[in-house]
Amino acid sequence: TARRDDIVEDDYFVWWGMEDKYLFEYAKEELTEISQKDQPFAFTMLTVDTHHIGGYICRLCNHDHAESYSNAIACSSRQVAAFVQWLQQQPFYENTTVIISGDHCSMDKGYFDRNVEAGYQRRVYNCFINAAAKPTYSTRRQFCALDMFPTTLAAMGCTVEGDRLGLGVNLFSSQPTLMERMGYSRFNTELAKRSEFYDQFYSGQ
């Protein structure tokens, strides 16, 4: 679709297919178009320039750091910040929730072994901007990706009955998550067990 919409050339292919600098411009075009329709909209995008080992260095990257991955991270941070600033200037922003969320810690473990002090606990970055809900308490919570489902809906202004959906808990509420109730070890053990309901549901039988 990026080729079809003239975002990139027909023979273009780098990294995972398209670097983030084109993704952000593509996103601006798409958001401008869908925001002008008289209906609610949701837009999701995945950045990948920092995803794999060493990251991807594009033409926007500076070379301020000794390691390539440091430069890729710094470049990605600047691009994300600029995109959020662009969103905040758009007429639809006042009624739009922006969520920045990582799906896992960086895969480049060696980079962190070299550059971060021993004992530092790495975490996934999550950020809710312009959310319609306020957190009951927002520090020292234990949660996982399952909790992002009801939390996202609450951030958009939806009422979540009981503050729970599926296996997730609305993190704006005071409800404890499964991880908080069970502890990480037991939670992980239980989640790894086979579920006939899950298998039947997703097999469609």
Side-chain angles (χ1 to χ4, degrees):
T1 55
R3 290 171 176 153
R4 182 196 66 201
D5 294 342
D6 294 325
I7 300 296
V8 296
E9 301 293 331
D10 287 342
D11 61 350
Y12 175 89
F13 187 93
V14 302
W15 198 227
W16 279 19
M18 186 174 77
E19 57 200 289
D20 292 345
K21 69 173 188 165
Y22 291 110
L23 174 69
F24 285 112
E25 294 307 312
Y26 203 2
K28 290 177 184 178
E29 290 186 16
E30 290 292 310
L31 280 165
T32 299
E33 180 179 339
I34 64 176
S35 67
Q36 292 173 354
K37 298 176 181 178
D38 189 24
Q39 59 187 14
F41 65 88
F43 184 88
T44 61
M45 58 188 284
L46 167 72
T47 64
V48 295
D49 283 5
T50 60
H51 187 80
H52 201 47
I53 310 302
Y56 180 81
I57 300 298
C58 74
R59 291 197 301 269
L60 298 179
C61 291
N62 297 330
H63 299 277
D64 301 327
H65 308 282
E67 292 206 40
S68 174
Y69 198 37
S70 297
N71 291 313
I73 292 171
C75 185
S76 180
S77 295
R78 288 192 301 271
Q79 290 183 76
V80 171
F83 182 66
V84 171
Q85 289 168 354
W86 177 85
L87 289 171
Q88 292 171 330
Q89 296 168 359
Q90 304 312 303
F92 59 81
Y93 175 75
E94 184 178 345
N95 190 32
T96 299
T97 299
V98 180
I99 301 173
I100 304 171
S101 180
D103 58 340
H104 56 75
C105 291
S106 169
M107 297 168 67
D108 200 339
K109 182 180 180 298
Y111 172 84
F112 291 92
D113 288 343
R114 293 189 302 273
N115 293 285
V116 179
E117 62 187 37
Y120 176 78
Q121 186 171 6
R122 296 168 58 200
R123 298 183 185 276
V124 174
Y125 181 81
N126 297 289
C127 177
F128 291 80
I129 303 172
N130 211 23
K134 300 293 183 187
T136 304
Y137 59 96
S138 58
T139 58
R140 306 238 177 240
R141 297 218 62 174
Q142 291 183 301
F143 63 96
C144 67
L146 297 170
D147 301 304
M148 297 304 284
F149 174 31
T151 303
T152 296
L153 292 176
M156 294 164 51
C158 300
T159 299
V160 179
E161 185 176 352
D163 289 310
R164 297 174 63 184
L165 281 175
L167 297 177
V169 166
N170 168 19
L171 294 169
F172 288 100
S173 76
S174 59
Q175 280 274 7
T177 65
L178 284 177
M179 193 177 292
E180 288 170 331
R181 288 166 51 194
M182 303 169 72
Y184 175 78
S185 181
R186 183 178 167 218
F187 171 76
N188 205 36
T189 299
E190 293 295 321
L191 198 62
K193 291 180 179 178
R194 183 174 181 272
S195 165
E196 290 186 11
F197 171 78
Y198 182 93
D199 292 343
Q200 290 174 358
F201 183 83
Y202 283 100
S203 68
Q205 299 178 356

